[in-house]
Amino acid sequence: MQLRGLEYDMVLSELADAVGEEHLSTRASDKLVYATDWSWMPQMWLDRGEEAPSPDFIVHPGSVEEIARVLQIASTYRVPVVTWGGGSGSQGGTVPIFGGIVLDVKRLDKILNISEQSLTVTAQAGVIGEVLEYTLNERGLTMPNYAASANCATIGGYIAARGSGVISTKYGKVEDLVMSMQVVLADGTIIRTPPVPKHASGPDYAGLFVGSEGTFGVITEATFQIERLPETRLFRGILFDDLHNALEAGRQIMLARLQPTVLRLYDEASTVSLVKRVLNLDLQGSFLNVIFDGFEDIATPQFNRALKICADLGGRDLGEHSAKEWWEHRYDFYYPPLGLSLPKMYGTLETVTTFDKIEALYWAKKKAIEEGFAEWDTHYIAHFSHWFPWGVMVYDRFIIDNPPQDAHEALKLHNRLWNVALRTSLAHGGVLNEHHGVGLKLGRMMREQYGPAFPLIEGIKRTFDPRGIMNPGKQGFSL
Amino acid sequence: MNTIPVKTFQDYIPIYDGDRYCLMCRHVCPVERVTKRESTTPHGWALLIASVIRGSLQWDADTVDTLYQCSDCASCQANCATDRPLPAALKAARAEVVRLGKQPASVIEIERKLREWGNPYGEILRSAQNDTTSGEVGLYVGATAQFLRPQAITAAQKLLGATGINPTLLSAGRSSGYLPYALGLWDIARELARQTVEEIVASGVHEVLTLTAEDAHAIKHVYYELGLMPPRQVRVTQIAEYLAPQVASGELKIRPLEMQAVTYHDPCHALALPDHAKAARQLIVALTGSAPREMLWREQRAAPCGATGGLEFTQPKLAAAMAQKRLEGARDIGAEIVLTDDPHCVSHLVQHADGLSVQNLIEVLVEQMA
């Protein structure tokens, strides 16, 4: 949907009036950079010289009221609005496939309140995660959502994508940390969710915005639960001969409710490739990082109990060096040239299920990918990194070193592979995704996950966004 | 003069390609913190250049303007886990833009001035050129101190005098070559660098003290990138790094000064000088008796004030906004006095101080010499 003629100029002039000329752009250099987020599909599309999915306008509103005005204009002219935080999403959630307005929230960058009494922080949605973290650290505090994207993702994006971080096993995912939000709806109405998340004032309506990827409204402010920086962190690397016993160790640690901060378990394929390449650790088997934190006199006995579980299941104690190395370099995996990048084809297929199903799910996906796409010499690697009291998430990836060079052929293969992977996850008790979101990439599969419930979800969407302007084409919602 | 191979635009293509979709340093980019635009971030610039190479964009007024908004602070590389040389790659892209004759009018004007005067400010006075002192230590004056903050030169001379050094003044009024290097004017940059090296060698000094971090960085590191060998067996040090041990040892005595609510601005390019942040803070402790209040953006994640990268000439609004942002950071922590030890930063920040007191640490130290 490219706007033209009088309609284009009317929207342009009204947007300029709403946010100011200097905060509105139609420059080619801006349009290009907002054509792609961190996901493979639009990056490949640009890389191969195809026409980028370009916005008509980019706006940088400086207040919630300006956002409301932008949405009113978009609603009047029925122009799509894509909310942009850090652009670090891996699912194409911010790709403006129907053009329209990209609404960049990064000018909403104020940290409004830090309460050391309640351990909460309230900030505007455009604050970059790591900037918030720097600010909290100055006071000995931390927001325990250590996402790999923290250097670039905004806190609004954390919520919109229902994200997670490397210490979620102890401190929870973002939906466990967010307490309340301010949201601007499609017609410009500004609302606030209840001030606390635990209540019996009806269902968790606020939860509708968590993971909504800009399809229900624009999150403009949020309050999160925070923590004090831990007194101690305890590290240990453990090497198992195989994945089975390593998974069993993780299960027993979780069922013993020992509260590990990190259980990072690499399958054999990741241990010999990724761990070797990034951390320079030459190991054979399944490598498990065990990290506990908190008060020393509480964390130490829990840690020791976890180590005993590992030892009883044949885990070899590697000492603390390897686990510390991983902690110090935990984000290095995403820097060039260490991270996955074009011209390869790759994707993070991750899902989550209960302990009784996880191993079968892993092997089924590995087989489906490696055997089903053997003609492309497809690699499958995985680690298990977000553990719950009832199960674990598998962060599995596929990598094709030499995919088709033609963009259309490459996309066809990419989507076919994803369909196989997602259906395998669903068939084995998993879900489409655990913490990266749905976006453009997985939207078509929402109907398969939710079945007869999906029309009801579409009804909720129509209630929030009757004119269908909020990030259309994402999460399976139509224009 | 010895020369070494210079990396060109073509050599940096893997960097543009590799960094175009890497977002891992955006949080430390001081330009993004002001503009909030994705296109003016490290990955935005890399994507822009890679897209020009691929033919999906061209060098035109829009794209060239965007390229010239990088402040060249090198915070992206300093905070990169894999040490990606994007700052050098962006300067190589600007050199390519210049080679194609697509540079902005402001850059053409600076080139004219540099060719005429050796600096972007004005004619070098004969009196500044004729220093006949000869000794072991040279005080590199350069262009910015000479034209924007001459009192910094006098202050440095007095402080050095108190330690028994009568320094030879070097390059008074002449750019080190860093400014044209940053703007892609590599021919004139190389020529100014060559003149600087020759003057240092001819002076016979064994140590060169600079007033700005940028000049120390230029002589120590950047001349290699321009294909020149820095002067052999000459130590180059920014003056705060020289003075800190002098004060600590008691060689240079400083009377304590009661200063409330002081913060410190790490000068532009101080990131390239690993010992600088600690040395400057040691001087502040010696002066005030306590450590400065620290801004969020400091030391390894220090933010420039807008005086670097030629922004004052090519992007004056952005340069001003960056200064205001820097001073806003000082206000956020309740500071009333901003100390820094770089005359260029001082001269830039004072224009935007708006109630805050911005002072040159070196000049304050002179006032407090025992």
Side-chain angles (χ1 to χ4, degrees):
Chain A
M1 174 184 176
Q2 290 290 319
L3 297 174
R4 288 190 171 80
L6 182 59
E7 187 184 13
Y8 176 92
D9 273 58
M10 287 301 292
V11 175
L12 183 70
S13 65
E14 292 190 30
L15 289 173
D17 185 57
V19 300
E21 291 273 4
E22 69 273 33
H23 301 302
L24 165 66
S25 177
T26 57
R27 292 166 68 144
S29 57
D30 283 324
K31 287 184 176 184
L32 178 93
V33 77
Y34 286 99
T36 174
D37 57 11
W38 203 63
S39 58
W40 181 85
M41 285 192 298
Q43 290 184 2
M44 180 277 292
W45 209 244
L46 271 179
D47 186 70
R48 307 289 161 82
E50 297 294 326
E51 189 179 352
S54 178
D56 296 280
F57 317 98
I58 301 116
V59 295
H60 304 264
S63 68
V64 64
E65 291 77 18
E66 287 184 5
I67 289 175
R69 288 194 62 196
V70 169
L71 293 183
Q72 286 161 358
I73 295 162
S75 195
T76 300
Y77 291 96
R78 210 164 193 161
V79 178
V81 177
V82 178
T83 307
W84 184 286
S88 56
S90 59
Q91 313 293 70
T94 56
V95 178
I97 53 168
F98 296 116
I101 301 166
V102 163
L103 191 161
D104 188 327
V105 298
K106 285 200 290 295
R107 281 185 67 218
L108 274 68
D109 63 353
K110 301 286 183 292
I111 297 167
L112 301 170
N113 183 50
I114 298 171
S115 168
E116 296 194 33
Q117 189 171 16
S118 303
L119 282 182
T120 64
V121 62
T122 301
Q124 291 184 303
V127 174
I128 302 281
E130 193 66 2
V131 176
L132 176 62
E133 188 62 17
Y134 288 160
T135 306
L136 293 171
N137 288 173
E138 302 276 274
R139 301 185 185 203
L141 304 171
T142 183
M143 174 147 142
N145 190 60
Y146 291 9
S149 60
N151 289 3
C152 41
T154 58
I155 61 159
Y158 283 176
I159 301 170
R162 211 175 169 91
S164 188
V166 298
I167 58 173
S168 71
T169 300
K170 178 170 181 179
Y171 294 102
K173 293 182 63 190
V174 79
E175 66 259 36
D176 303 310
L177 303 175
V178 67
M179 299 179 63
S180 65
M181 287 165 279
Q182 181 189 60
V183 183
V184 186
L185 303 181
D187 65 354
T189 303
I190 301 168
I191 64 166
R192 279 190 183 276
T193 65
V196 292
K198 303 295 182 191
H199 59 76
S201 308
D204 181 18
Y205 297 118
L208 284 171
F209 297 106
V210 182
S212 64
E213 299 177 353
T215 60
F216 288 177
V218 179
I219 299 162
T220 51
E221 183 188 308
T223 298
F224 297 93
Q225 173 187 323
I226 56 175
E227 302 291 336
R228 297 196 189 285
L229 284 167
E231 180 182 282
T232 190
R233 260 192 202 112
L234 305 164
F235 299 89
R236 199 59 56 96
I238 307 285
L239 188 64
F240 289 88
D241 288 341
D242 59 42
L243 183 64
H244 174 79
N245 275 1
L247 274 171
E248 177 59 16
R251 185 187 74 86
Q252 290 190 22
I253 290 168
M254 293 307 296
L255 294 192
R257 308 300 189 230
L258 292 178
Q259 296 186 297
T261 308
V262 173
L263 290 177
R264 187 85 162 196
L265 169 61
Y266 290 93
D267 72 352
E268 291 98 324
S270 286
T271 300
V272 297
S273 57
L274 210 57
V275 172
K276 165 79 176 160
R277 185 155 52 94
V278 179
L279 302 179
N280 202 25
L281 296 172
D282 206 353
L283 304 169
Q284 297 281 334
S286 269
F287 175 54
L288 172 67
N289 283 312
V290 180
I291 303 176
F292 280 68
D293 69 10
F295 293 112
E296 192 161 1
D297 56 344
I298 296 173
T300 301
Q302 291 180 317
F303 179 63
N304 290 336
R305 185 74 177 249
L307 296 186
K308 183 174 184 311
I309 289 172
C310 292
D312 289 348
L313 286 160
R316 185 155 61 89
D317 190 332
L318 301 175
E320 65 175 15
H321 172 74
S322 54
K324 270 189 169 168
E325 275 291 291
W326 176 84
W327 178 256
E328 291 298 321
H329 299 281
R330 62 191 183 275
Y331 302 142
D332 292 10
F333 295 83
Y334 303 94
Y335 285 82
L338 300 174
L340 292 170
S341 63
L342 294 168
K344 292 179 181 181
M345 180 189 290
Y346 52 89
T348 301
L349 306 164
E350 54 101 343
T351 189
V352 59
T353 191
T354 47
F355 287 123
D356 59 323
K357 297 187 176 75
I358 189 66
E359 203 169 346
L361 186 154
Y362 165 82
W363 288 111
K365 278 177 86 175
K366 187 174 176 65
K367 182 175 182 209
I369 299 302
E370 288 186 341
E371 294 182 13
F373 296 87
E375 63 183 302
W376 293 100
D377 193 21
T378 309
H379 311 291
Y380 178 88
I381 59 174
H383 61 255
F384 301 79
S385 46
H386 302 276
W387 298 70
F388 301 92
W390 39 261
V392 61
M393 170 262 205
V394 53
Y395 189 109
D396 48 351
R397 291 167 143 184
F398 75 90
I399 303 158
I400 298 177
D401 290 330
N402 296 297
Q405 284 307 297
D406 175 76
H408 306 275
E409 288 301 313
L411 186 66
K412 200 185 297 179
L413 172 63
H414 174 267
N415 289 353
R416 189 161 60 85
L417 189 151
W418 269 95
N419 288 347
V420 168
L422 294 169
R423 287 180 178 130
T424 307
S425 288
L426 295 179
H428 287 80
V431 288
L432 295 182
N433 189 266
E434 190 266 340
H435 75 255
H436 287 85
V438 177
L440 175 65
K441 192 158 73 179
L442 313 187
R444 64 185 177 279
M445 298 294 290
M446 288 288 274
R447 267 172 219 283
E448 290 193 31
Q449 170 159 324
Y450 286 96
F454 193 70
L456 301 175
I457 296 169
E458 289 180 304
I460 296 170
K461 163 70 170 169
R462 279 193 295 274
T463 302
F464 279 101
D465 180 22
R467 293 174 69 77
I469 62 168
M470 302 303 294
N471 206 6
K474 313 297 165 53
Q475 299 213 341
F477 297 134
S478 58
L479 185 63
Chain B
M1 182 174 294
N2 291 327
T3 58
I4 49 180
V6 176
K7 280 194 176 178
T8 66
F9 180 64
Q10 297 295 326
D11 296 322
Y12 285 114
I13 288 176
I15 300 300
Y16 310 128
D17 265 0
D19 293 1
R20 70 194 150 137
Y21 297 127
C22 177
L23 310 176
M24 298 302 277
C25 58
R26 191 181 52 204
H27 65 304
V28 294
C29 177
V31 175
E32 190 278 337
R33 279 203 296 281
V34 170
T35 66
K36 303 294 182 184
R37 287 168 53 205
E38 285 294 323
S39 54
T40 52
T41 63
H43 91 93
W45 287 306
L47 179 58
L48 175 87
I49 299 163
S51 299
V52 170
I53 293 168
R54 282 172 167 73
S56 49
L57 287 176
Q58 301 85 45
W59 291 125
D60 56 23
D62 162 30
T63 53
V64 168
D65 177 63
T66 300
L67 180 65
Y68 274 87
Q69 289 189 45
C70 169
S71 70
D72 187 36
C73 67
S75 193
C76 49
Q77 187 172 3
N79 288 275
C80 177
T82 50
D83 194 32
R84 304 283 288 182
L86 186 62
L90 293 186
K91 288 184 281 270
R94 289 177 177 178
E96 175 70 1
V97 166
V98 169
R99 190 187 70 78
L100 296 170
K102 301 279 190 181
Q103 69 272 43
S106 56
V107 173
I108 294 170
E109 179 63 9
I110 290 170
E111 182 175 16
R112 186 189 66 73
K113 290 176 177 174
L114 286 166
R115 288 197 186 282
E116 187 174 348
W117 300 322
N119 69 71
Y121 304 109
E123 194 172 356
I124 303 171
L125 298 176
R126 192 165 293 276
S127 59
Q129 292 174 308
N130 290 345
D131 178 33
T132 54
T133 311
S134 63
E136 293 283 300
V137 178
L139 179 63
Y140 181 91
V141 175
T144 52
Q146 180 71 30
F147 287 94
L148 304 179
R149 195 80 186 174
Q151 57 269 53
I153 307 166
T154 318
Q157 285 175 303
K158 284 183 183 169
L159 285 168
L160 294 174
T163 65
I165 291 172
N166 184 17
T168 304
L169 295 188
L170 298 167
S171 297
R174 187 175 62 228
S175 164
S176 65
Y178 193 89
L179 174 68
Y181 168 64
L183 296 177
L185 301 166
W186 284 13
D187 287 344
I188 184 72
R190 200 171 290 115
E191 174 56 22
L192 290 166
R194 189 188 59 75
Q195 291 174 21
T196 302
V197 172
E198 285 180 357
E199 185 183 354
I200 291 171
V201 170
S203 72
V205 300
H206 292 143
E207 177 153 31
V208 172
L209 304 178
T210 71
L211 293 168
T212 70
E214 176 178 297
D215 290 332
H217 172 47
I219 301 168
K220 289 173 80 158
H221 311 125
V222 170
Y223 287 2
Y224 288 110
E225 293 178 24
L226 288 166
L228 298 175
M229 289 295 288
R232 288 176 190 277
Q233 294 176 334
V234 176
R235 203 168 72 162
V236 180
T237 311
Q238 200 271 353
I239 191 161
E241 295 172 39
Y242 177 83
L243 293 175
Q246 303 288 330
V247 171
S249 68
E251 184 77 16
L252 178 62
K253 292 188 168 39
I254 300 295
R255 284 181 284 114
L257 176 65
E258 195 168 326
M259 292 179 100
Q260 298 296 318
V262 172
T263 190
Y264 174 69
H265 163 67
D266 295 273
C268 307
H269 293 297
L271 278 173
L273 309 175
D275 301 327
H276 183 272
K278 190 176 170 192
R281 285 166 174 79
Q282 285 171 346
L283 288 174
I284 292 175
V285 171
L287 178 69
T288 68
S290 59
R293 296 184 185 195
E294 292 288 7
M295 290 190 270
L296 189 66
W297 301 104
R298 63 176 184 269
E299 299 170 278
Q300 177 73 8
R301 57 181 191 236
C305 65
T308 184
L311 289 186
E312 292 162 296
F313 305 102
T314 59
Q315 307 283 344
K317 276 178 70 175
L318 177 58
M322 289 178 70
Q324 285 153 4
K325 195 78 175 172
R326 195 69 180 130
L327 295 168
E328 184 184 305
R331 288 191 187 91
D332 285 347
I333 55 164
E336 294 168 7
I337 299 169
V338 179
L339 287 177
T340 188
D341 52 313
D342 186 310
H344 197 182
C345 295
V346 174
S347 72
H348 186 61
L349 285 170
V350 292
Q351 297 172 51
H352 308 281
D354 194 23
L356 278 177
S357 172
V358 178
Q359 300 178 31
N360 185 352
L361 174 60
I362 304 302
E363 295 166 37
V364 178
L365 287 172
V366 164
E367 296 294 320
Q368 294 306 114
M369 272 197 313

